[in-house]
Amino acid sequence: MVYQTIKSIRTPWAVLVKLDTLPYSVVRAEGWIDRLVEDVERHGYWGATGSFRPIDVRLGKCNAFVTQCFSENFSVFRPSEWLKAVESEGGDLVSRMATGQLEPGDRFGTERAVDNYMRKQGLFLRFVSDTPDRSMFHINQWGERLLALRERYLRREGVEPYLNLAVPERGGPGEIHPWDRYYGYPKPALLKRLRIWAGVHRRRLLQR
């Protein structure tokens, strides 16, 4: 669906936001995307992305964070460049998308293709940081739960711990469980969390 949609775009730039990603701003966002595009063009970035935890976030030009990991949860890019990346790195994925004959491993295929393309070409994305006044949260929840979480999110209930989890001063991606990564993700009972903790530390000890 994403591939077919992006193929149909006729504007120079596209903004992609998945349905389980929640945007928020305390002020009207008029001109925000324009300013982001101007920043991307001025510094020679491939595009911009956010709302997830890339493994390689670092400081780039003008103290802005950059990454070579692309997310379809929220991204700003040139459709022509996206298609070029996917069609050059996607292999048989492109023909499967065209016919609708997708395989289970294709779920993140277009994102992997863009990641590979950027690393080979030495390109970077501007990583959009969150603030209490403006954020983009991929919550990985659907249905009635998504709607309920959206109401809490717009009231800014408990959002602070989930701001900028990927940036170095917050410890980077690391090993983090879904209930600590996604806003409002159901947290297991204490006993199950203790068993998970014990299993993680046991695995680390065996690897030494």
Side-chain angles (χ1 to χ4, degrees):
M1 183 179 65
V2 171
Y3 178 72
Q4 297 297 341
T5 299
I6 294 174
K7 278 192 71 173
S8 70
I9 295 174
R10 296 295 177 262
T11 54
W13 288 87
V15 179
L16 180 61
V17 182
K18 287 289 187 68
L19 294 176
D20 62 337
T21 299
L22 302 179
Y24 174 85
S25 178
V26 295
V27 296
R28 297 183 66 179
E30 293 172 350
W32 179 72
I33 294 296
D34 291 335
R35 293 192 295 274
L36 182 58
V37 168
E38 289 172 4
D39 183 68
V40 165
E41 291 183 315
R42 180 167 57 251
H43 295 300
Y45 297 135
W46 187 86
T49 194
S51 78
F52 73 118
R53 295 171 60 83
I55 62 174
D56 65 343
V57 169
R58 71 199 81 168
L59 276 177
K61 300 172 184 176
C62 300
N63 287 324
F65 289 109
V66 298
T67 178
Q68 289 181 306
C69 296
F70 174 78
S71 173
E72 292 175 354
N73 296 317
F74 165 64
S75 50
V76 180
F77 55 91
R78 296 178 180 89
S80 59
E81 288 297 310
W82 187 92
L83 289 168
K84 180 180 178 182
V86 170
E87 289 170 357
S88 65
E89 294 292 328
D92 294 337
L93 171 66
V94 175
S95 60
R96 291 198 297 274
M97 287 191 297
T99 60
Q101 304 298 314
L102 295 175
E103 299 175 358
D106 291 336
R107 180 180 176 188
F108 304 107
T110 52
E111 290 174 322
R112 284 195 299 268
V114 175
D115 290 358
N116 292 338
Y117 179 81
M118 285 195 292
R119 292 187 182 108
K120 287 181 179 180
Q121 301 297 323
L123 300 169
F124 287 88
L125 289 150
R126 168 82 147 76
F127 187 76
V128 180
S129 301
D130 294 315
T131 70
D133 293 337
R134 185 197 52 74
S135 59
M136 193 77 66
F137 276 18
H138 173 221
I139 64 170
N140 202 29
Q141 298 288 296
W142 295 93
E144 294 298 323
R145 182 164 181 79
L146 184 153
L147 296 176
L149 286 171
R150 181 179 181 274
E151 294 302 316
R152 285 176 48 195
Y153 176 75
L154 294 177
R155 293 194 299 267
R156 311 311 280 161
E157 293 181 7
V159 301
E160 191 71 28
Y162 298 89
L163 297 174
N164 301 317
L165 291 174
V167 302
E169 53 261 40
R170 292 294 304 273
E175 184 172 332
I176 185 167
H177 299 292
W179 55 88
D180 292 320
R181 181 189 314 151
Y182 299 116
Y183 177 76
Y185 198 93
K187 183 179 290 189
L190 177 60
L191 180 58
K192 184 173 182 179
R193 298 203 308 273
L194 287 172
R195 282 164 39 198
I196 292 171
W197 178 86
V200 169
H201 284 272
R202 179 175 178 274
R203 186 170 68 247
R204 288 175 177 170
L205 289 172
L206 292 175
Q207 290 172 348
R208 291 180 179 177

